[in-house]
Amino acid sequence: MKDIKEKIQESNSIIIAGHVNPDGDTVGAGLALLLGLEKKYPNKKIEFVLQDEVPKNISFLKGSNKIKNIKDIEKIDYDLAIFVDSATIERVGDVQKLIGDIFKINIDHHISNPKYGNINIVRDISSTSEIMYSLLKDLEIEISLEMGEAIYLGLVNDTGNFAHSNVTDKTFLVASQLMALGVNNNKIVNDFFKTKSYERMKVLGKALSEMVFVKEKKLMYFYLPYNELKGLNATKDDTEGVVEELINYSGSEVSLFLREEENGKIKGSLRSKHGADVNKIANIFGGGGHIKAAGFTTELSTEEIIKIVVENL
Ligand SMILES: [Mn+2]
């Protein structure tokens, strides 16, 4: 901790990097850190840069307009890079190009994280945002309401509104302390979850009517080809939450959502209800994540992917 503090103090320009297709956790943790560092060190240049746009149901967070998109940024030489919620360096996508070979602090909660930083705070807890809460306290940065809301959204995002197995008494303690700061739980949950677009509802409807159940393995899966996504006038953001919906069936133990990308590659997301380790399955395809939630991208065909998943369950 002392090292992190020293490193931040001696750096004049700092880049915070979050992962591609940003979710509430990477945005929440990165934004809380950005706002906290800006307040504590007003003379430093600090930027939070993402490759992709902040999704609409996250951009209500106050301060999120300060998050930079890579296309709006000119390359400068940063002294320090802080990665949030990124299981590998590659997870930040093109933001890597802004970073290069500088000192790296890696703050993450994915068990597959290979600890690529010069300093690593990798803990197997609910979210990077939960780590960020203690980190900011350790850095003696006072948590403002805006920072608290960002962290709270991160908790809600990665715990499925406090429903997943990664929730501990500590998670609730952090949530409770954030509410004591003035965070409005009901408003955040409504703003975050109950804001699905028409296209997203249609994608969900298609998934629920076309999903396939492999009874022997209690696997529920759904494949969405790129042309069908386009046919619904939908974008990849509109497929968020499909894999979680597939595991709601009482017979499912594992769910798999496959989505074809524009370049023909297949992106897979896996969820597990009880015992199955889907991180291990995602590893087969070069991906990873957590025991109960993992993902991968592959050039294999859907038939091959499904065969491999079924064989390994
Ligand atoms: Mn996360």
Side-chain angles (χ1 to χ4, degrees):
M1 192 49 61
K2 204 171 131 264
D3 295 348
I4 293 189
K5 209 168 173 179
E6 275 174 17
K7 206 67 212 171
I8 291 173
Q9 274 163 356
E10 71 186 38
S11 302
N12 290 316
S13 60
I14 300 171
I15 178 169
I16 301 168
H19 60 74
V20 297
N21 302 323
D23 63 5
D25 189 31
T26 203
V27 173
L31 180 59
L33 181 63
L34 173 75
L35 297 174
L37 291 179
E38 276 184 348
K39 199 166 72 172
K40 176 120 179 159
Y41 305 104
N43 297 321
K44 294 187 191 300
K45 184 175 177 64
I46 304 156
E47 286 178 325
F48 176 20
V49 188
L50 295 170
Q51 176 194 289
D52 302 318
E53 298 291 333
V54 176
K56 276 195 225 84
N57 66 334
I58 298 177
S59 60
F60 70 87
L61 285 175
K62 287 185 212 84
S64 64
N65 56 328
K66 293 183 170 179
I67 301 171
K68 300 251 168 73
N69 188 279
I70 187 146
K71 65 180 190 305
D72 303 322
I73 218 161
E74 258 181 73
K75 185 172 170 22
I76 63 158
D77 290 325
Y78 298 98
D79 305 322
L80 171 65
I82 306 178
F83 289 73
V84 289
D85 201 39
S86 304
T88 61
I89 293 188
E90 292 71 32
R91 272 291 278 158
V92 304
D94 291 343
V95 178
Q96 273 181 92
K97 294 177 197 157
L98 295 177
I99 295 171
D101 193 24
I102 57 170
F103 198 92
K104 295 177 181 68
I105 298 175
N106 165 19
I107 306 170
D108 186 34
H109 72 123
H110 295 92
I111 51 168
S112 59
N113 192 301
K115 304 199 171 152
Y116 53 80
N118 301 91
I119 298 177
N120 301 283
I121 307 180
V122 178
R123 285 192 223 144
D124 186 14
I125 64 173
S126 75
S127 53
T128 303
S129 296
E130 187 178 330
I131 300 176
M132 193 55 73
Y133 180 81
S134 354
L135 180 69
L136 290 165
K137 293 222 145 185
D138 291 342
L139 291 171
E140 289 159 326
I141 293 176
E142 198 196 327
I143 297 178
S144 66
L145 180 57
E146 287 73 22
M147 291 158 67
E149 286 173 340
I151 294 171
Y152 199 89
L153 181 67
L155 296 180
V156 165
N157 185 105
D158 274 26
T159 62
N161 204 10
F162 303 100
H164 297 336
S165 61
N166 57 7
V167 176
T168 64
D169 54 338
K170 182 76 205 316
T171 317
F172 278 117
L173 194 63
V174 171
S176 157
Q177 289 173 352
L178 293 173
M179 285 187 77
L181 276 179
V183 171
N184 184 334
N185 165 61
N186 182 250
K187 182 177 184 305
I188 291 197
V189 170
N190 280 345
D191 285 354
F192 182 57
F193 288 110
K194 298 178 185 169
T195 53
K196 293 190 176 110
S197 65
Y198 182 78
E199 291 74 22
R200 189 161 159 183
M201 300 295 281
K202 295 295 271 187
V203 168
L204 201 55
K206 189 176 177 66
L208 294 178
S209 57
E210 295 176 14
M211 62 196 182
V212 178
F213 188 55
V214 182
K215 202 172 168 199
E216 318 80 79
K217 301 289 182 169
K218 298 180 175 168
L219 167 71
M220 186 70 89
Y221 74 86
F222 172 62
Y223 167 55
L224 184 62
Y226 185 73
N227 64 349
E228 293 188 18
L229 178 80
K230 288 280 118 185
L232 291 173
N233 204 16
T235 66
K236 62 183 179 187
D237 287 350
D238 296 317
T239 65
E240 231 11 79
V242 167
V243 72
E244 279 85 11
E245 200 58 50
L246 295 176
I247 205 161
N248 279 342
Y249 171 50
S250 61
S252 299
E253 276 300 325
V254 173
S255 65
L256 168 68
F257 171 50
L258 299 171
R259 172 173 66 78
E260 185 188 16
E261 304 205 295
E262 196 171 3
N263 60 13
K265 287 187 189 173
I266 307 279
K267 192 168 177 334
S269 308
L270 286 151
R271 294 295 182 269
S272 152
K273 202 182 272 172
H274 297 110
D277 181 351
V278 292
N279 179 51
K280 252 195 325 213
I281 293 177
N283 286 342
I284 302 170
F285 302 101
H290 310 278
I291 291 170
K292 294 190 173 186
F296 59 87
T297 303
T298 175
E299 294 185 6
L300 296 177
S301 70
T302 50
E303 292 75 17
E304 287 169 307
I305 298 166
I306 291 159
K307 185 165 173 280
I308 292 169
V309 172
V310 166
E311 276 170 7
N312 284 279
L313 276 174

